[in-house]
Amino acid sequence: MTTLNPPPAVLTIAKILEDKGHETWCVGGAVRDAMLGEQHLDWDFATAATPDQVRKIFRRTVPVGIEFGTVGVLDEHNVMHEVTTFRRDVQTDGRHAVVEFGASLDEDLARRDFTINAVAYSPTRNVVHDPFHGEKDLRAGIVRAVGDPQDRMREDRLRALRAIRFAARYGFVIEKKTWAAIVDSAPHMSRLSPERVRQEIEKTMDQVPCPSGAFANWRDSGAFATLVPDLVGVTDIQLRAIDHLRRPLLPTRPQRRLLRIAMLLAAVPAGRSGNAMKALRFSNAAASWITSLLDSLAGLEPSMRTALAASHGATDADIRRWVSVAGRTRFASVLRLADARWWAEREAGEKAPGDAAVASLHRRALRIAYRDPVELSDLAVDGTDLQKLGLSGPALGKALHDLLEAVVRDPTLNTPDRLMALVKGRSATGTGA
Ligand code: ATP
Ligand code: MG
């Protein structure tokens, strides 16, 4: 057995509890990841001490989930460690469990979802307690339910989605009977709250290097049919596009998460992604950002594809128009989505714009977006100027948009004199744009 090397604060907390006579173990994700040789920031404890005892023993605690027996203990660096009293499930309804304290370590491990998550480790004695052979499954790369898979999934339908996430996160296979129980769970997933489902999608986007495999399993198990019916027909190419969002530049984590979700929702039939996000309780801010990206993507992707395929490539005027439609700050994200999709298409042997062409478009678009007029506020005249010509209401709005269209075609027109002359000329002839 190799030492799992928990941080010193973990050792200290376990020792304090044990000195007071309370059996204490590290459990869950940190033990699993340490065995895989990976760092995990959150070392959680399971202990025989009751929540009240834990709060008396440590000076600085946070009642993070007292009803489930969880007390947060702050270490000297103000890092919080969750300390949870051994517990057993007494009642489950497929959504959440009601728990009871006074259980043994083995009972506590038995209520955990997968063998790889049910390994206990004593940091003070450097001993592993592994009644469900989680370490063996970790070495073999298997996600396997603790106990009877059908029972475990029936107790909590979220476990099916968690199994899929852990398998994709580590490149593991899902054990046969566990997979069968996931498939059998799918029709019952409507019991899950939309918030929990959305969080599973977000965790998958955050934790899984290549999320396409996870969502292929959502599709193939029937989870999408129950949870996001608009995605039942999502293709492998559409899913692979999510993996390719890694390139060419890695955005920050929240950006990456939102872009990945946008790429997944790009597979929803036109005009329905807003409904899908509403059903999953995405925030209005996230939903409106994603909707505007997807609208721009749907509107621009065909012309970008055609221009990039042509021998002369895209003209500056083409690029100004695209940036103008998407918005200066959003165009790079739209291009990133298109690029990821094209990458997935090329990978599948289909014809799509090449890497070099996209990289060059990206560079040119950046330069053009910050040099040329592409938005209404870039125009050399504004609404007040046009009011002086007697324009108002919708006619004024239309005149401004016509001017923008004109300067996007030819930026040299963007001077007050030339724009005013354009408006006068148009209202004189009455022809509009
Ligand atoms: P992560 O790295 O995503 O935090 P984790 O394994 O720590 O992985 P958590 O969701 O933080 O996952 O849960 C901590 C532990 O609690 C799990 O390892 C597992 O033992 C147990 N657990 C969590 N959710 C469930 C569940 N729905 N059913 C049974 N056990 C669960
Ligand atoms: Mg965790």
Side-chain angles (χ1 to χ4, degrees), residues 29 40 42 44:
H40 193 110
D42 302 318
D44 299 332

Side-chain angles (χ1 to χ4, degrees), residues 39 41 46 104 314 327 428:
Q39 286 287 337
L41 296 176
S104 66

Side-chain angles (χ1 to χ4, degrees), residues 8 77 286 302 403 423:
H77 304 293
L403 290 182
V423 179

Side-chain angles (χ1 to χ4, degrees), residues 72-330:
V73 172
L74 294 171
D75 68 21
E76 55 178 357
H77 304 293
N78 275 330
V79 176
M80 199 182 71
H81 303 267
E82 289 192 2
V83 179
T84 306
T85 305
F86 292 150
R87 55 197 187 175
R88 66 175 82 87
D89 292 338
V90 288
Q91 180 202 325
T92 54
D93 60 2
R95 301 174 85 163
H96 24 66
V98 174
V99 294
E100 186 177 86
F101 304 135
S104 66
L105 171 67
D106 280 349
E107 284 175 305
D108 186 278
L109 294 178
R111 64 169 286 284
R112 293 173 183 274
D113 45 10
F114 308 109
T115 61
I116 59 172
N117 288 344
V119 182
Y121 170 69
S122 161
T124 53
R125 290 177 288 130
N126 191 30
V127 166
V128 169
H129 182 69
D130 184 14
F132 303 104
H133 311 292
E135 187 168 9
K136 189 164 156 249
D137 282 341
L138 269 179
R139 308 264 171 252
I142 297 172
V143 175
R144 182 196 312 270
V146 170
D148 180 71
Q150 295 286 347
D151 289 347
R152 306 318 307 284
M153 301 293 168
R154 209 174 293 125
E155 289 162 8
D156 179 358
R157 301 297 182 188
L158 194 71
R159 289 174 184 157
L161 301 179
R162 286 173 57 86
I164 289 173
R165 168 159 58 89
F166 285 118
R169 178 171 169 186
Y170 300 112
F172 285 10
V173 298
I174 300 174
E175 180 267 334
K176 224 168 127 210
K177 288 188 179 139
T178 303
W179 174 254
I182 293 171
V183 173
D184 292 345
S185 275
H188 306 284
M189 287 180 188
S190 48
R191 295 182 62 89
L192 291 170
S193 76
E195 287 80 5
R196 289 183 92 193
V197 174
R198 190 198 66 232
Q199 281 165 9
E200 248 335 289
I201 293 175
E202 290 173 343
K203 283 187 182 177
T204 302
M205 296 306 189
D206 285 348
Q207 296 178 342
V208 178
C210 292
S212 62
F215 291 111
N217 277 341
W218 280 54
R219 179 193 60 201
D220 299 341
S221 64
F224 271 151
T226 304
L227 299 173
V228 197
D230 279 326
L231 284 173
V232 285
V234 64
T235 65
D236 287 337
I237 292 180
Q238 287 170 324
L239 290 176
R240 281 291 286 166
I242 305 172
D243 303 343
H244 290 306
L245 275 173
R246 287 174 298 171
R247 297 165 243 239
L249 289 163
L250 200 70
T252 65
R253 196 168 155 120
Q255 278 178 321
R256 187 183 80 158
R257 175 204 275 188
L258 267 186
L259 266 185
R260 284 180 155 194
I261 292 170
M263 195 81 262
L264 174 65
L265 291 169
V268 166
R272 298 196 46 85
S273 58
N275 293 344
M277 284 185 283
K278 214 175 190 162
L280 290 167
R281 308 281 192 276
F282 277 96
S283 72
N284 289 338
S288 69
W289 187 78
I290 288 176
T291 302
S292 80
L293 279 194
L294 294 184
D295 286 349
S296 301
L297 179 68
L300 299 181
E301 196 265 354
S303 39
M304 294 201 289
R305 183 189 286 268
T306 309
L308 291 184
S311 53
H312 51 78
T315 65
D316 279 10
D318 287 334
I319 296 176
R320 274 191 300 273
R321 192 175 64 77
W322 299 335
V323 175
S324 177
V325 168
R328 177 175 277 131
T329 53
R330 277 194 291 261

Side-chain angles (χ1 to χ4, degrees), residues 381-389 396 420:
V381 298
D382 61 14
T384 325
D385 299 321
L386 300 199
Q387 274 169 355
K388 289 176 194 151
L389 298 181
L396 190 150
M420 290 306 257

